[in-house]
Amino acid sequence: MWQAISHQLSEVLGRPFKINEREAIQGGDVNQCYCIGDDEQRFFVKLNDKEQLAVFKTEAESLRILNEANCVQVPQYFHLGTCRDKSFLILNYLPTKTIDDDAGYKLGQQLAQLHLWGEQVEFGFDFDNYIGLTPQPNKWRRRWDKFFAEQRIEWQLQLCEEKGLHFGDIDTITANVAQRLSNHQPKPSLLHGDLWHGNTALTVSGPIIFDPATYWGDRECDVAMTELFGGFPASFYEGYQSVYPLDEGYQDRKDLYNLYHILNHCNLFGGEYMGQAQHIIANLMLWDE
């Protein structure tokens, strides 16, 4: 496998690349990750089963689009390939450490700039992609309430049903989600899509975000997820607000947006997240405009 990776990377670089350094990197829930290097360059390699090549392909394209926006640093794509029973994605390697207060403020500003970038008029993406290993549909829709209700919450609830996880009548819950958002039609923003603290870090060249699940949606979805598992310094939110203050009603929508990620965790990791999901859904069903 490593010989094949070395050979393919040599072709991409236009020079011999012989791996003389290889170190496993911990922290991912989905892929095996390594730092590899020769005497000149080091790269970050993500490995998974060959059947997961489509996941890496959409990640590479998402990174390309985020790089095009040029608002916040993301990994640089080098190569996508397969060998025997494995698929792999090769990115540049940067040593990282945890975001500190100064970097948090800067990252908040950069995320706000990303959310302001572009002139998209619909919600969705040019292709479906993945959040973790879960397929994420992104069919273009004009109305945000319909997009989020149908392609985020309804989709995840259907996947849960297939795994025997029941939260109530899917049509009723979906209708309530759409009703909850019916008077909220935000500007479509390019989102990271899976912005928990484990997908951020600090490099010598500033903050970086990675492992995207990108689409055009409500910017509040990114901000809400930063609060779901914590880990972001208060300076991050100060930086964001200094560039693009959040709309009134964000606090009322935050849990609804995070329901998507909690349901996805039910699908990826089992029913341990069911209690959180049930609590949000119960409050949603009691909601009265």
Side-chain angles (χ1 to χ4, degrees), residues 4-51:
I5 290 175
S6 177
H7 175 72
Q8 292 183 36
L9 197 48
S10 296
E11 292 186 340
V12 171
L13 296 174
R15 66 171 182 83
F17 182 86
K18 182 178 181 180
I19 300 173
N20 57 25
E21 174 189 359
R22 185 176 79 234
E23 179 183 358
I25 298 176
Q26 302 301 316
D29 293 320
V30 175
N31 304 297
Q32 295 175 281
C33 300
Y34 293 86
C35 171
I36 63 171
D38 63 358
D39 294 327
E40 295 184 41
Q41 283 179 278
R42 300 165 87 191
F43 296 94
F44 185 80
V45 180
K46 301 174 75 168
L47 287 172
N48 212 311
D49 296 336
K50 199 169 187 177
E51 293 74 21

Side-chain angles (χ1 to χ4, degrees), residues 43-93:
F43 296 94
F44 185 80
V45 180
K46 301 174 75 168
L47 287 172
N48 212 311
D49 296 336
K50 199 169 187 177
E51 293 74 21
Q52 304 303 329
L53 179 65
V55 179
F56 288 149
K57 185 176 181 180
T58 61
E59 179 178 346
E61 182 63 13
S62 294
L63 290 173
R64 183 194 67 78
I65 294 168
L66 289 168
N67 262 308
E68 182 182 313
N70 196 31
C71 296
V72 57
Q73 183 181 199
V74 297
Q76 302 295 308
Y77 163 77
F78 274 87
H79 183 58
L80 175 72
T82 61
C83 53
R84 294 185 183 177
D85 60 343
K86 295 291 185 181
S87 61
F88 56 88
L89 176 66
I90 301 179
L91 309 169
N92 67 319
Y93 175 78

Side-chain angles (χ1 to χ4, degrees), residues 100-236:
D100 58 22
D101 285 344
D102 289 343
Y105 189 87
K106 186 174 183 180
L107 179 59
Q109 290 183 314
Q110 292 174 342
L111 182 67
Q113 290 161 357
L114 175 66
H115 290 164
L116 284 166
W117 179 82
E119 297 297 331
Q120 181 56 245
V121 297
E122 294 189 340
F123 302 95
F125 213 38
D126 285 338
F127 52 87
D128 295 341
N129 51 19
Y130 296 83
I131 181 157
L133 292 179
T134 306
Q136 179 171 263
N138 293 312
K139 183 179 179 181
W140 291 106
R141 296 296 297 265
R142 284 259 175 194
R143 289 201 55 83
W144 170 245
D145 55 346
K146 298 295 185 184
F147 176 88
F148 187 78
E150 296 170 3
Q151 298 190 62
R152 294 298 178 259
I153 302 304
E154 182 179 30
W155 170 251
Q156 288 286 347
L157 289 171
Q158 289 172 343
L159 295 178
C160 285
E161 285 281 336
E162 293 172 6
K163 295 184 177 181
L165 304 175
H166 307 289
F167 294 96
D169 183 74
I170 293 177
D171 291 341
T172 301
I173 296 171
T174 302
N176 275 40
V177 171
Q179 177 62 26
R180 180 79 175 267
L181 296 173
S182 60
N183 293 322
H184 181 61
Q185 180 70 358
K187 168 193 176 296
S189 293
L190 186 63
L191 307 184
H192 175 279
D194 194 11
L195 196 60
W196 69 293
H197 69 86
N199 286 344
T200 71
L202 177 59
T203 73
V204 293
S205 52
I208 189 169
I209 58 176
F210 41 87
D211 293 350
T214 306
Y215 65 100
W216 292 87
D218 184 358
R219 66 192 178 111
E220 293 178 357
C221 292
D222 267 353
V223 179
M225 193 181 187
T226 67
E227 298 193 58
L228 179 58
F229 301 114
F232 286 77
S235 60
F236 167 82

